[in-house]
Amino acid sequence: MSDATDTEKHGGSADFMGAAIVRKREASRRRSRIVRIAAIASALCLALYFAGFAVFLSEVSFYRKDVPDSRADGIVVLTGGVARVDEAVKLLNEKKGERLLISGVHPSASRAVLAKTFAVDEDRFNCCVDVDHEALDTVGNAVETADWVAEHGYHSLLVVTNDYHMPRSLLELHSVLSDVELIPHAVVASQHQNDTAAEQASRYRVLLGEYVKYSAARLRTLVTPISGPGDDVHRAALTASE
């Protein structure tokens, strides 16, 4: 009886150990499948992301081409890049729009300083240039511009900013100005064919950084669109100040 009992115990123990080994192997195979699926999914996401970057570069390249000789009700320039305001003032002087909004000006920059900095005729500056000191980023630019457009009843707008910044600017502006025609007028910082490798690398770093911001903006506007002009939107301080 003792021998039979021992045999049964040893057999049961062996069966238990065998089942445990099988479970471990199955768990290991499941983990391997999960890792492979995650790796494939990550590779696909990365490929799609860089394919999107290629599309983004194509869009920026489109804005770098010669812009058409267009006219709009108003002109807005988003500060923060090279030669943006100079180009917007030029458009105003050429009467491509009735008024110019300079959006995102540092609070310390007065109208008098701006007029001198950009060599704008004093009478023209006083009559036709509005200055927004409130916007701190591209989202703020869009909100303040929407207020300005609503205030003047404009239906078309020339948008002046750098080429790499144009896709995100139009995205943000479209989210609050769906009924307004937006005409891009890109300012190109550099497009020299003889740029050094370091200069080209620097430009691609800027482009990649802007693409990351643009991707985040696309996601945000899909999930939580920003408000348009109305009672809930803070109005820009567009009154003259010295």
Side-chain angles (χ1 to χ4, degrees):
M1 293 294 294
S2 175
D3 292 342
T5 303
D6 289 343
T7 302
E8 288 176 359
K9 286 182 179 179
H10 286 305
S13 177
D15 289 343
F16 177 79
M17 291 178 62
I21 292 171
V22 170
R23 285 196 297 271
K24 286 182 180 180
R25 287 176 179 174
E26 289 178 350
S28 178
R29 283 196 291 268
R30 283 196 297 269
R31 284 195 297 269
S32 296
R33 284 197 297 270
I34 292 171
V35 169
R36 284 197 300 271
I37 292 170
I40 292 171
S42 298
L44 286 174
C45 288
L46 195 61
L48 287 173
Y49 193 73
F50 280 100
F53 182 51
V55 174
F56 175 78
L57 291 178
S58 177
E59 187 174 357
V60 170
S61 178
F62 172 79
Y63 293 127
R64 293 179 70 181
K65 297 177 181 178
D66 292 336
V67 294
D69 186 19
S70 302
R71 190 186 185 283
D73 295 334
I75 306 166
V76 61
V77 56
L78 283 57
T79 59
V82 177
R84 296 181 188 181
V85 178
D86 295 284
E87 185 66 17
V89 168
K90 176 185 172 185
L91 292 172
L92 180 67
N93 289 334
E94 293 174 353
K95 300 183 179 179
K96 300 299 183 182
E98 295 176 4
R99 299 185 69 82
L100 166 64
L101 171 64
I102 306 176
S103 180
V105 176
H106 194 277
S108 65
S110 68
R111 291 177 62 89
V113 169
L114 290 172
K116 291 178 181 178
T117 301
F118 300 106
V120 186
D121 177 76
E122 184 177 357
D123 292 337
R124 189 153 187 77
F125 192 89
N126 291 333
C127 86
C128 304
V129 177
D130 297 314
V131 180
D132 157 38
H133 290 288
E134 300 297 324
L136 300 177
D137 53 22
T138 306
V139 174
N141 292 141
V143 171
E144 301 302 333
T145 300
D147 277 346
W148 182 75
V149 167
E151 178 182 356
H152 294 285
Y154 291 154
H155 299 286
S156 59
L157 195 64
L158 275 170
V159 180
V160 182
T161 189
N162 287 108
D163 54 350
Y164 60 84
H165 187 233
M166 188 64 75
R168 184 158 59 101
S169 300
L170 293 178
L171 176 69
E172 301 289 9
L173 287 166
H174 272 302
S175 70
V176 293
L177 293 170
S178 58
D179 296 330
V180 176
E181 180 186 6
L182 301 177
I183 304 171
H185 188 100
V187 177
V188 180
S190 173
Q191 56 177 354
H192 302 134
Q193 295 181 349
N194 58 347
D195 282 346
T196 65
E199 290 170 333
Q200 291 178 2
S202 176
R203 176 169 175 79
Y204 273 98
R205 280 195 297 271
V206 171
L207 287 166
L208 184 57
E210 182 60 30
Y211 174 63
V212 172
K213 295 177 184 178
Y214 174 67
S215 300
R218 280 184 64 89
L219 180 61
R220 195 206 70 251
T221 53
L222 287 173
V223 177
T224 55
I226 60 179
S227 301
D231 294 338
D232 296 332
V233 178
H234 181 71
R235 297 191 65 79
L238 301 179
T239 55
S241 60
E242 296 298 329

